[in-house]
Amino acid sequence: MAGPEQPPPAGDGEPAAAPGDAASAHPAPSDGGDRPAATAGGPRPLAPWLLPSLIVGLSVLLAVIVLGFIVGRGDDGGRAAAGPATAAPLPQLPRGGRVLLPGRRVVSFAGAPQDPELGSLGVGRLRGAVGRLKTRAASYSLKTRPTQPALQLIATIAHADPGRDRRYNQHQSTRVVARYLREARRAKALLILDIQPGRSTFVSETTRLVRWLREPDVAIAYDPEWRVQKDGDVPGQVIGSVQADELQRSLDVVARIVREHHLPKKLVIVHRFTKNMIRDLPTIRFPRELQMVMSVDGVGDRANKVVKYRELTRDLPAGWRPGFKLFLKEDAAAGGLMTPRQVMGLRPRPDVVLYE
């Protein structure tokens, strides 16, 4: 009986089949689908349930990542959006804004409740004085430059009596300062705290007023006429003066308060009616947080007051602004109180007009 048929011997152009090629010569039986089964030598097929499970798992992971990103962005965006909306607005001046000069001209009544002789704010009831101030301020108002009414309270009053601490001064109580501040705010006016230090220093008296200077609508004024330094000198009996370095240190205290509390530029008035009342004036460097005004004081008739004003404003160092003070009782007795029209005729025009 014939044996099994042998494969033909390999020719020159046809290699002999490798043992593994026998399987490839016959396709594997189909599993019933369109896809042929893997050959014995290829990768094993994936289980039919594995691919859908993998897709679901990746979808869940992607959803978690996206959700976390959205939540994170929402928190950051919420904080960024809420920042400016919830931040406290910067303090403002009584009639708006953060810089007083030159946008407005300040018109002030000065005084103290202890004695009508100390100025117009001590005459009659305080509210009546504020009403008169508003009327007077209106006479200086221009369409291009409105006025800012101000109450100048003498917070430290020089005295001929040395007192127990031998400082030759008297301080207003907290209750009095608070009352004047309330009335100023009722009229949208500025409160100016005036210092007549006596034998004390401007630095120590400024420090004592820190709690009030933290307010955006409280300014300060220095009156060197009442700063006496030598033993035996009594305020009111000699004309005082101040050294530039003492005034400089006082200004630095005020500037620091403005910076720390983000206040509007602070008005600082320095009174003067003689050239040597402020010694070494050109050496004073006033900080950018302050607006400096040199008020030319002095009792007299119109002619003498105009001459004094021209003399003391001619040598003002750069950056100082001019102010002018009128004495209701004394000027009237000396020849007549200057009218607002006459005051506005001064050159340079004063940025601050004070009545005492």
Side-chain angles (χ1 to χ4, degrees), residues 76-110:
D76 292 342
R79 282 193 294 269
T86 58
L90 292 174
Q92 300 285 303
L93 291 164
R95 302 196 174 195
R98 291 176 50 83
V99 179
L100 185 60
L101 305 174
R104 292 180 179 273
R105 178 170 286 106
V106 178
V107 179
S108 172
F109 275 10

Side-chain angles (χ1 to χ4, degrees), residues 127-151:
R127 192 160 298 179
V130 173
R132 295 192 297 274
L133 166 64
K134 291 168 70 176
T135 301
R136 184 57 59 94
S139 62
Y140 285 92
S141 185
L142 301 173
K143 289 183 179 180
T144 55
R145 190 176 186 185
T147 53
Q148 171 60 69
L151 281 64

Side-chain angles (χ1 to χ4, degrees), residues 260-319:
E260 291 176 352
H261 297 276
H262 309 289
L263 300 176
K265 284 183 179 286
K266 187 77 74 177
L267 176 67
V268 178
I269 299 172
V270 180
H271 295 279
R272 180 191 191 200
F273 61 86
T274 66
K275 282 197 169 184
N276 61 358
M277 194 167 281
I278 305 167
R279 302 182 184 276
D280 300 320
L281 174 63
T283 67
I284 294 177
R285 173 198 54 79
F286 54 86
R288 59 184 177 84
E289 294 85 359
L290 310 180
Q291 292 199 293
M292 302 296 301
V293 171
M294 184 70 70
S295 174
V296 177
D297 298 1
V299 177
D301 59 18
R302 176 188 174 189
N304 285 320
K305 290 179 76 75
V306 169
V307 169
K308 180 69 69 176
Y309 181 77
R310 289 174 179 169
E311 175 190 358
L312 295 181
T313 56
R314 188 179 301 119
D315 67 343
L316 276 182

Side-chain angles (χ1 to χ4, degrees), residues 24-347:
S24 63
H26 303 282
S30 173
D31 59 2
D34 295 332
R35 214 165 14 113
T39 61
R44 297 174 62 86
L46 292 174
W49 52 267
L50 186 58
L51 186 58
S53 300
L54 184 60
I55 293 173
V56 171
L58 290 174
S59 300
V60 172
L61 178 61
L62 181 61
V64 170
I65 293 172
V66 171
L67 180 62
F69 180 78
I70 292 173
V71 171
R73 282 292 301 272
D75 287 347
D76 292 342
R79 282 193 294 269
T86 58
L90 292 174
Q92 300 285 303
L93 291 164
R95 302 196 174 195
R98 291 176 50 83
V99 179
L100 185 60
L101 305 174
R104 292 180 179 273
R105 178 170 286 106
V106 178
V107 179
S108 172
F109 275 10
Q114 283 78 10
D115 193 334
E117 294 298 320
L118 294 173
S120 54
L121 279 185
V123 179
R125 298 180 57 203
L126 176 58
R127 192 160 298 179
V130 173
R132 295 192 297 274
L133 166 64
K134 291 168 70 176
T135 301
R136 184 57 59 94
S139 62
Y140 285 92
S141 185
L142 301 173
K143 289 183 179 180
T144 55
R145 190 176 186 185
T147 53
Q148 171 60 69
L151 281 64
Q152 183 169 323
L153 172 66
I154 307 175
T156 303
I157 307 171
H159 264 280
D161 184 349
R164 288 182 297 178
D165 57 6
R166 304 197 64 77
R167 289 180 179 261
Y168 290 85
N169 65 28
Q170 173 189 350
H171 295 142
Q172 298 290 358
S173 68
T174 298
R175 180 180 59 84
V176 168
V177 179
R179 180 164 66 93
Y180 274 70
L181 183 55
R182 283 196 305 270
E183 288 300 322
R185 286 176 172 170
R186 187 189 299 271
K188 292 186 178 180
L190 197 68
L191 177 64
I192 304 170
L193 299 179
D194 187 86
I195 296 176
Q196 300 176 354
R199 195 67 66 81
S200 182
T201 68
F202 283 122
V203 180
S204 61
E205 295 301 316
T206 300
T207 304
R208 194 185 64 82
L209 296 173
V210 163
R211 63 169 293 183
W212 303 109
L213 293 173
R214 290 173 182 157
E215 301 296 327
D217 50 355
V218 175
I220 194 165
Y222 298 110
D223 203 341
E225 175 190 358
W226 305 97
R227 169 70 171 103
V228 295
Q229 304 177 44
K230 297 178 182 178
D231 289 340
D233 286 352
V234 177
Q237 297 180 11
V238 297
I239 297 175
S241 63
V242 64
Q243 297 290 336
D245 64 337
E246 179 181 325
L247 190 55
Q248 180 70 70
R249 285 182 286 127
S250 305
L251 299 179
D252 292 340
V253 171
V254 180
R256 185 170 63 250
I257 296 169
V258 174
R259 286 194 303 271
E260 291 176 352
H261 297 276
H262 309 289
L263 300 176
K265 284 183 179 286
K266 187 77 74 177
L267 176 67
V268 178
I269 299 172
V270 180
H271 295 279
R272 180 191 191 200
F273 61 86
T274 66
K275 282 197 169 184
N276 61 358
M277 194 167 281
I278 305 167
R279 302 182 184 276
D280 300 320
L281 174 63
T283 67
I284 294 177
R285 173 198 54 79
F286 54 86
R288 59 184 177 84
E289 294 85 359
L290 310 180
Q291 292 199 293
M292 302 296 301
V293 171
M294 184 70 70
S295 174
V296 177
D297 298 1
V299 177
D301 59 18
R302 176 188 174 189
N304 285 320
K305 290 179 76 75
V306 169
V307 169
K308 180 69 69 176
Y309 181 77
R310 289 174 179 169
E311 175 190 358
L312 295 181
T313 56
R314 188 179 301 119
D315 67 343
L316 276 182
W320 288 83
R321 294 179 176 274
F324 189 65
K325 188 172 184 178
L326 301 106
F327 295 84
L328 293 170
K329 182 178 178 180
E330 293 85 348
D331 286 356
L337 184 68
M338 290 177 64
T339 67
R341 181 182 294 273
Q342 290 169 335
V343 173
M344 293 289 279
L346 294 170
R347 293 294 180 270

